[in-house]
Amino acid sequence: MLGLMQDQPLAISSLIEFAARHHHDGQIVSRRVEGDIHRYTYREAAARSRQVAAALDRLGLAFSERVATLAWNGYRHFELYFGIAGSGRVVHTLNPRLAPEQLVWIANHAEDRVIAFDLSFLLLIKAVWRQCPTVKHWIALCEPGALPSDSGIDGLQSYEAWIAGQSDTYAWPVFDEKSAAILCYTSGTTGNPKGALYSHRSTLLHAWAVALPDAISLSARDSILPVVPMFHVNAWGIPFAAAMTGARLVFPGAALDGKSVYELLESERVTMAAGVPTVWLMLLNHVKQNGLKFTHMRRTLIGGSACPPAMIKSFRDDYDVTVLHGWGMTEMSPVGTVCNLKLAQLALEPDAQLAILAKQGRALFGVEMRIVGPDGRELPWDGQASGDLHVRGPWIVSGYFRGEGGDPLVDGWFPTGDVASIDADGFLQITDRSKDVIKSGGEWISSIDIENVAVAHPAVAMAACIALPHPKWGERPLLVVVKKPGAEVSRDDLLHFYTGKVAQWQVPDDVVFVETIPLGATGKMQKNKLREQFKGHRLPG
Amino acid sequence: MLGLMQDQPLAISSLIEFAARHHHDGQIVSRRVEGDIHRYTYREAAARSRQVAAALDRLGLAFSERVATLAWNGYRHFELYFGIAGSGRVVHTLNPRLAPEQLVWIANHAEDRVIAFDLSFLLLIKAVWRQCPTVKHWIALCEPGALPSDSGIDGLQSYEAWIAGQSDTYAWPVFDEKSAAILCYTSGTTGNPKGALYSHRSTLLHAWAVALPDAISLSARDSILPVVPMFHVNAWGIPFAAAMTGARLVFPGAALDGKSVYELLESERVTMAAGVPTVWLMLLNHVKQNGLKFTHMRRTLIGGSACPPAMIKSFRDDYDVTVLHGWGMTEMSPVGTVCNLKLAQLALEPDAQLAILAKQGRALFGVEMRIVGPDGRELPWDGQASGDLHVRGPWIVSGYFRGEGGDPLVDGWFPTGDVASIDADGFLQITDRSKDVIKSGGEWISSIDIENVAVAHPAVAMAACIALPHPKWGERPLLVVVKKPGAEVSRDDLLHFYTGKVAQWQVPDDVVFVETIPLGATGKMQKNKLREQFKGHRLPG
């Protein structure tokens, strides 16, 4: 027997309509690519989202066709999210940090019909547009007057002209809540990029989950700045959760340097911000070097890669900002865990709390986790046992777009490729990516642990630990280090710095200093490239 | 095209399993009917819920059959919620405040197969059990030793004996998330009681919504005491939202007097409590009379009927407790709105904030609202226009169990029977129940407004304002008042008290003093009975 409740499919359009009706004057602030600050309200955002939807209807785009964006965090990108998905098409967010040939591969695989891009990516678009035969419409996110006359791109039009003639009263279509809404590609280190295809249902359930007090905690009293890009896993779902709760949104555009982000945090009285460790490092350095403080920001969500404990401690002890360490992946919409203390832990000493806050945190309700050993058997949640992390739940992929990569599930679970432990309180700690673990003499060394020690050294800006083959131990760790500008540290000093911080057999065998460590399109260190680069490096002893 | 996300139906069983796994030592504290304090953990609650499920399997109960409870808020009732619904049966919560003949009618209408009851209701069960032919199993929520030997009830067994032999490893069945889970009857003033039938889907969506920061705001750092009963609209969904977030639960059992509730709030360090105004009045009186304060409680959700502004002000100004005024109904699972300030309102003066906090608040995302005039046309959200309140959304009824009362919807909207205004910020203010509005000379007088003034008078314990027929004006207001013990106030003093507080033509024509005002099973004043009682009352002038 079914219940007798109204049969309302969950729909992304309902988020922006709710925000328009209940938070009509709620502000959305954007630092534009043009350089100035743009302000408007949820009511205006909704009206323009409806114009986007009407403009797509006018182009004759069918249900589920892909409309791609290549854009920074800003109000036009926000409108596109709702206009595209709300009208039944699929938002495909392209990552501008990809190489042109990767971009072409992905646009063709997705069979994008439209690509809307920030003018700052004009050169990139000029380089690729002829190789994207499925794309029939190129739209530059600007006023008509800013449109370059000599772009050479057939039929290029400005976003403002494109939507200008459309009505802002639009009847959003009603359809199956499991319909495709958003397509995000993830580029593994091997094989082709693979597309995670979110639905309206998964997007709304995820939005509820991330807005909860133990996740991001979003309300109509918050002002949130997502530094994490909307071109990468929907800025962790913040645009949707903000519309759901009426939180004030502050978009940083392209200016992600420490100074620009800091100024926006202060001038817009931001209470909560979210980003990856590398961006937050730039912010912290700026604040430290200039003797500044955070007037309004009290919480920041940091994820995308492991946040060094030293950063969490500095935010807390020096700036009274609570770091919420998070973990997730493109295949998880993307948030899986956020680190927030439990009731009994509020009474712990600051150091003991810090040890907990350095973990990736607790699963959101809706995400089931397990860790399994090499034999596939589940391991205990004791904070010690470390194994392959599997997840399942309604906002986790069952497969990839167009079947790429085959069926990823194992007994109904998605294998994350992470190695992790989980403690008795359910706090997840990512030990490593399974492909980055260093297997020395039958024991595992976590490359993340070794890197966390290195970046706590005052002279180290960035560090990567990789495995090199070793005749006796199988593999041994090599530490690759970028020094801070003007700072000095020797190989021996750095190795000595490990004393008492990790077991002696885990200390790297050698250190090499480099100018830069290659980063991927999502800001993660590309250790596969380092392994290639140093494959001939000879370890001492 | 559908998205490629895992197809996991939302299920109530997943809430208790999540709590057991992620908050295994999270505490559930119950003041038992036996008088003592019982403590255990989510892990134990989950194990015993599985035993309940297994025991129901053993009874041979089919999918969707009804299992009724007649119980106070406590751990056994909590286990029954999850064991019954999780195993695919329907939890039917009976309200012990109903008259025996109403209880019989409802149990027969629901075709309950099992009734589990607290021993404090033994007399009631003895009075009705022979009239409930569908009920095959009577279970007393107690140890075997506490079971009365001479109950006369065929086959009566104790809950503890019933579940004792069952395995606590149970494989919860997987089924359509729209399956019926919970049945709650609402007794209108006319017609038969009508059953709202919640689904697993509606229950989980509602749990996410009420746990958000702008609703109840529940986290693993909270300790919540629901005074609002689990036998009435699932204690506003708190048991489910608590399991979802790992909040500590404190159940008050049968002891709802001010002293008992206060002691539990203090001894269990409760941060958040929820209840109806009449119970909170008892609590406030106890605290005032004894010069006490609230050490831990900082927020309280008050709903069920309109909370007098004087109570909201006293909690805030005298005790530093924020009242979250809420509104909902059985047909809405039940929460529709909660009152929380918005960002811009944080800068207002305390009095201006109080005027907002006295409203019923903003809709949760998932609840759509509109107000319509007599002609069925939608009225503006200007805080002035007042009309019939309609709602729709995925946790709002589409009809009643077994078709009782026919199709309640109007153009897809559920008419609440409330008259309300909504301001530009989306804050709902219930003016009245449509049947309680007083229509005087073509204008409407809100009975709630008139009552709120009266209860702000120091000598008034309770007040009801009802319409009496009037030859010239159609209807005029009569105020029915219960004085506080030992307090004195005259008719003329009370009428004079209205000067400057409402328009002169809204001041009641007369006051009558009574010993008690009849309350319904859910604690609401039964104005229909007062209208009957005073139908011959002659208004002066």
Side-chain angles (χ1 to χ4, degrees):
Chain A
M1 180 173 66
L2 298 186
L4 292 167
M5 308 309 288
Q6 294 180 16
D7 198 4
Q8 277 208 359
L10 303 176
I12 287 174
S13 59
S14 69
L15 290 169
I16 193 68
E17 289 301 328
F18 178 83
R21 200 164 160 96
H22 296 264
H23 303 281
H24 67 98
D25 60 353
Q27 269 204 323
I28 299 173
V29 181
S30 307
R31 189 195 291 276
R32 300 207 295 179
V33 173
E34 293 89 323
D36 59 341
I37 298 286
H38 174 273
R39 295 170 192 283
Y40 75 168
T41 64
Y42 275 114
R43 179 173 286 170
E44 290 165 276
R48 285 164 56 92
S49 300
R50 290 184 216 112
Q51 289 179 297
V52 169
L56 292 170
D57 282 6
R58 183 142 191 182
L59 295 184
L61 257 67
F63 188 69
S64 297
E65 286 203 287
R66 272 72 65 203
V67 177
T69 62
L70 185 76
W72 299 105
N73 292 6
Y75 66 105
R76 290 177 182 131
H77 204 176
F78 183 78
E79 297 157 9
L80 281 163
Y81 268 30
F82 292 96
I84 298 168
S87 68
R89 283 87 186 194
V90 173
V91 184
H92 172 206
T93 50
L94 286 165
N95 187 333
R97 292 182 183 137
L98 293 169
E101 61 275 17
Q102 292 175 301
L103 212 61
V104 167
W105 190 95
I106 289 175
N108 283 317
H109 189 268
E111 298 179 323
D112 293 329
R113 297 284 177 239
V114 182
I115 294 186
F117 61 95
D118 270 333
L119 268 188
S120 48
F121 303 123
L122 181 62
L123 278 180
L124 181 55
I125 294 293
K126 279 167 116 167
V128 302
W129 78 275
R130 286 184 193 279
Q131 302 163 64
C132 301
T134 64
V135 179
K136 304 300 178 199
H137 308 279
W138 298 92
I139 293 165
L141 297 172
C142 64
E143 297 286 345
L147 202 64
S149 53
D150 57 350
S151 75
I153 301 167
D154 284 353
L156 177 66
Q157 56 185 320
S158 81
Y159 177 79
E160 294 299 336
W162 180 54
I163 66 170
Q166 305 300 329
S167 162
D168 65 2
T169 60
Y170 179 84
W172 299 105
V174 176
F175 42 75
D176 186 338
E177 69 186 31
K178 293 181 181 171
S179 298
I182 301 161
L183 179 61
C184 297
Y185 279 79
T186 174
S187 46
T189 46
T190 58
N192 289 322
K194 298 191 283 287
L197 189 62
Y198 310 147
S199 67
H200 288 259
R201 171 184 171 89
S202 67
T203 304
L204 262 73
L205 297 184
H206 180 268
W208 262 306
V210 299
L212 286 182
D214 264 346
I216 306 182
S217 191
L218 275 181
S219 78
R221 286 172 304 290
D222 281 299
S223 190
I224 183 163
L225 187 149
V227 175
V228 52
M230 290 171 70
F231 59 69
H232 179 53
V233 289
N234 304 319
W236 300 343
I238 289 169
F240 301 117
M244 176 178 269
T245 58
R248 188 165 175 274
L249 270 169
V250 182
F251 288 127
L256 304 184
D257 61 287
K259 180 168 184 289
S260 299
V261 170
Y262 176 77
E263 286 173 359
L264 208 55
L265 290 173
E266 289 295 304
S267 64
E268 298 301 329
R269 300 168 165 261
V270 169
T271 57
M272 166 81 194
V276 297
T278 42
V279 170
W280 262 203
L281 192 63
M282 294 192 290
L283 176 68
L284 265 189
N285 285 342
H286 172 76
V287 169
K288 278 187 185 162
Q289 280 157 18
N290 296 281
L292 305 169
K293 63 193 176 91
F294 297 104
T295 316
H296 308 283
M297 183 171 78
R298 291 284 74 86
R299 294 177 302 126
T300 173
L301 178 64
I302 300 186
S305 54
C307 181
M311 183 183 288
I312 298 174
K313 185 172 164 64
S314 178
F315 264 118
R316 184 189 70 176
D317 295 349
D318 305 336
Y319 300 103
D320 194 20
V321 173
T322 300
V323 168
L324 309 173
H325 198 190
W327 168 83
M329 48 200 311
T330 304
E331 287 87 342
M332 298 176 72
S333 296
V335 183
T337 66
V338 177
C339 199
N340 257 304
L341 296 178
K342 291 181 170 184
L343 188 59
Q345 295 165 338
L346 296 179
L348 296 177
E349 294 297 316
D351 280 357
Q353 290 185 341
L354 196 67
I356 296 166
L357 293 171
K359 299 186 178 190
Q360 273 78 6
R362 295 185 274 117
L364 311 182
F365 171 78
V367 173
E368 286 180 87
M369 309 188 301
R370 70 173 187 184
I371 45 175
V372 298
D375 57 357
R377 291 219 297 209
E378 189 168 355
L379 298 173
W381 289 20
D382 59 8
Q384 299 298 321
S386 182
D388 290 322
L389 177 63
H390 293 181
V391 293
R392 66 180 180 192
W395 57 83
I396 297 169
V397 295
S398 58
Y400 293 100
F401 187 51
R402 297 179 58 192
E404 199 68 43
D407 179 3
L409 302 192
V410 177
D411 306 332
W413 294 80
F414 177 77
T416 62
D418 280 319
V419 177
S421 66
I422 305 175
D423 68 22
D425 289 315
F427 287 75
L428 174 77
Q429 182 156 31
I430 301 290
T431 313
D432 221 330
R433 290 293 294 168
S434 60
K435 64 186 185 313
D436 293 336
V437 170
I438 298 145
K439 294 158 193 106
S440 171
E443 298 283 344
W444 286 10
I445 300 172
S446 157
S447 65
I448 294 173
D449 284 353
I450 305 303
E451 290 156 10
N452 278 342
V453 173
V455 295
H457 189 285
V460 173
M462 201 181 291
C465 182
I466 57 170
L468 287 192
H470 191 280
K472 179 170 176 191
W473 301 109
E475 293 179 350
R476 287 296 300 160
L478 170 71
L479 188 67
V480 183
V481 167
V482 179
K483 282 184 274 198
K484 283 188 184 160
E488 265 315 319
V489 61
S490 71
R491 169 191 179 280
D492 290 347
D493 283 351
L494 204 45
L495 292 180
H496 187 68
F497 188 65
Y498 277 87
T499 307
K501 298 192 174 79
V502 300
Q504 196 54 38
W505 63 272
Q506 297 180 326
V507 177
D509 279 18
D510 204 2
V511 179
V512 291
F513 295 97
V514 295
E515 291 299 311
T516 57
I517 288 173
L519 299 180
T522 60
K524 289 177 190 160
M525 296 189 293
Q526 293 183 301
K527 293 192 192 175
N528 55 332
K529 293 203 173 163
L530 290 178
R531 281 190 286 262
E532 180 63 24
Q533 184 178 347
F534 291 101
K535 68 181 174 189
H537 183 86
R538 186 153 169 197
L539 294 173
Chain B
M1 180 171 67
L2 298 186
L4 291 167
M5 308 309 287
Q6 294 180 18
D7 198 5
Q8 276 209 0
L10 304 175
I12 287 174
S13 59
S14 68
L15 290 169
I16 194 68
E17 289 302 329
F18 179 83
R21 199 163 161 98
H22 296 263
H23 303 282
H24 67 99
D25 59 353
Q27 269 204 323
I28 299 173
V29 180
S30 307
R31 189 194 290 275
R32 302 207 296 179
V33 173
E34 294 89 323
D36 59 342
I37 299 286
H38 174 273
R39 295 171 192 281
Y40 75 167
T41 65
Y42 275 114
R43 179 172 286 168
E44 290 165 278
R48 286 164 55 93
S49 300
R50 291 184 216 111
Q51 289 179 297
V52 169
L56 292 170
D57 282 5
R58 184 142 190 180
L59 294 184
L61 257 68
F63 189 69
S64 298
E65 286 203 287
R66 271 73 65 203
V67 177
T69 62
L70 185 77
W72 299 104
N73 291 6
Y75 66 104
R76 289 176 182 133
H77 204 175
F78 184 77
E79 298 157 8
L80 282 162
Y81 268 31
F82 292 96
I84 298 168
S87 68
R89 285 85 186 195
V90 174
V91 184
H92 172 206
T93 50
L94 287 164
N95 187 333
R97 292 181 184 138
L98 292 168
E101 61 274 18
Q102 292 174 301
L103 213 62
V104 167
W105 190 95
I106 289 175
N108 283 319
H109 188 268
E111 298 178 323
D112 293 329
R113 295 285 175 240
V114 182
I115 293 185
F117 60 95
D118 270 334
L119 268 189
S120 47
F121 303 124
L122 180 63
L123 278 181
L124 180 55
I125 293 294
K126 279 168 121 167
V128 302
W129 77 277
R130 285 183 193 279
Q131 302 162 63
C132 302
T134 66
V135 179
K136 303 301 177 197
H137 308 278
W138 298 91
I139 294 165
L141 296 172
C142 64
E143 297 286 346
L147 202 64
S149 54
D150 56 350
S151 75
I153 300 167
D154 283 354
L156 178 66
Q157 54 185 321
S158 81
Y159 178 79
E160 296 298 337
W162 181 55
I163 67 170
Q166 305 300 330
S167 163
D168 65 3
T169 60
Y170 179 83
W172 298 106
V174 176
F175 42 74
D176 187 338
E177 68 186 32
K178 293 181 181 171
S179 298
I182 302 161
L183 178 61
C184 297
Y185 279 79
T186 175
S187 45
T189 47
T190 57
N192 287 324
K194 297 191 285 287
L197 189 62
Y198 310 148
S199 68
H200 288 259
R201 172 185 169 89
S202 66
T203 303
L204 263 71
L205 297 184
H206 180 268
W208 261 306
V210 298
L212 286 182
D214 264 346
I216 305 183
S217 191
L218 275 182
S219 79
R221 286 173 303 291
D222 281 299
S223 190
I224 184 163
L225 188 149
V227 176
V228 52
M230 291 172 68
F231 59 69
H232 178 53
V233 288
N234 303 319
W236 299 342
I238 288 169
F240 301 118
M244 177 178 269
T245 58
R248 188 164 176 273
L249 270 169
V250 181
F251 288 126
L256 303 185
D257 61 288
K259 180 168 183 290
S260 298
V261 171
Y262 176 78
E263 286 173 359
L264 207 55
L265 290 174
E266 289 296 303
S267 64
E268 298 301 328
R269 300 167 163 262
V270 169
T271 58
M272 167 79 195
V276 297
T278 42
V279 169
W280 263 204
L281 191 64
M282 293 193 290
L283 176 68
L284 265 189
N285 285 344
H286 173 76
V287 169
K288 278 188 186 160
Q289 281 159 17
N290 296 280
L292 305 169
K293 64 193 177 90
F294 297 104
T295 316
H296 309 283
M297 183 171 78
R298 291 283 73 86
R299 295 177 301 126
T300 173
L301 178 63
I302 301 187
S305 55
C307 181
M311 183 183 288
I312 298 174
K313 185 173 164 62
S314 177
F315 263 119
R316 185 188 70 175
D317 296 349
D318 305 337
Y319 300 103
D320 193 21
V321 173
T322 300
V323 168
L324 309 173
H325 198 189
W327 169 83
M329 45 198 318
T330 304
E331 287 88 342
M332 298 178 70
S333 297
V335 182
T337 67
V338 177
C339 199
N340 257 304
L341 296 178
K342 289 182 170 183
L343 189 59
Q345 295 165 338
L346 296 178
L348 296 176
E349 294 296 315
D351 279 358
Q353 289 185 341
L354 196 67
I356 296 166
L357 293 171
K359 299 186 177 191
Q360 273 79 5
R362 295 185 274 117
L364 311 182
F365 170 78
V367 173
E368 286 180 84
M369 309 190 297
R370 70 174 187 185
I371 45 175
V372 298
D375 58 358
R377 291 219 297 207
E378 189 167 355
L379 297 173
W381 289 19
D382 59 7
Q384 300 299 320
S386 182
D388 289 324
L389 176 64
H390 293 181
V391 292
R392 66 179 180 192
W395 57 82
I396 296 168
V397 294
S398 58
Y400 293 101
F401 187 50
R402 296 179 60 191
E404 199 68 41
D407 179 3
L409 302 193
V410 177
D411 305 332
W413 294 81
F414 177 78
T416 63
D418 280 320
V419 177
S421 66
I422 305 175
D423 68 22
D425 289 314
F427 286 76
L428 174 78
Q429 182 156 32
I430 301 289
T431 313
D432 221 332
R433 290 294 293 169
S434 60
K435 63 186 188 314
D436 293 336
V437 171
I438 297 145
K439 295 161 192 102
S440 171
E443 299 282 345
W444 284 9
I445 300 172
S446 157
S447 65
I448 294 174
D449 284 353
I450 305 304
E451 290 156 8
N452 279 342
V453 173
V455 295
H457 190 286
V460 173
M462 200 181 290
C465 181
I466 57 170
L468 287 192
H470 191 281
K472 179 170 177 193
W473 301 108
E475 293 180 350
R476 287 296 299 160
L478 170 71
L479 187 68
V480 183
V481 167
V482 179
K483 283 184 274 199
K484 282 187 185 162
E488 266 315 320
V489 61
S490 72
R491 170 192 179 279
D492 290 348
D493 283 350
L494 205 45
L495 292 180
H496 186 68
F497 188 64
Y498 277 88
T499 308
K501 298 193 175 78
V502 299
Q504 196 54 40
W505 63 272
Q506 297 180 325
V507 177
D509 279 17
D510 203 2
V511 179
V512 291
F513 295 97
V514 296
E515 290 299 310
T516 59
I517 289 174
L519 298 180
T522 61
K524 289 177 191 160
M525 296 189 293
Q526 293 184 300
K527 293 193 192 175
N528 55 332
K529 293 204 172 160
L530 289 179
R531 281 190 286 263
E532 179 63 25
Q533 184 179 346
F534 291 102
K535 67 181 174 189
H537 183 85
R538 183 148 173 202
L539 293 173

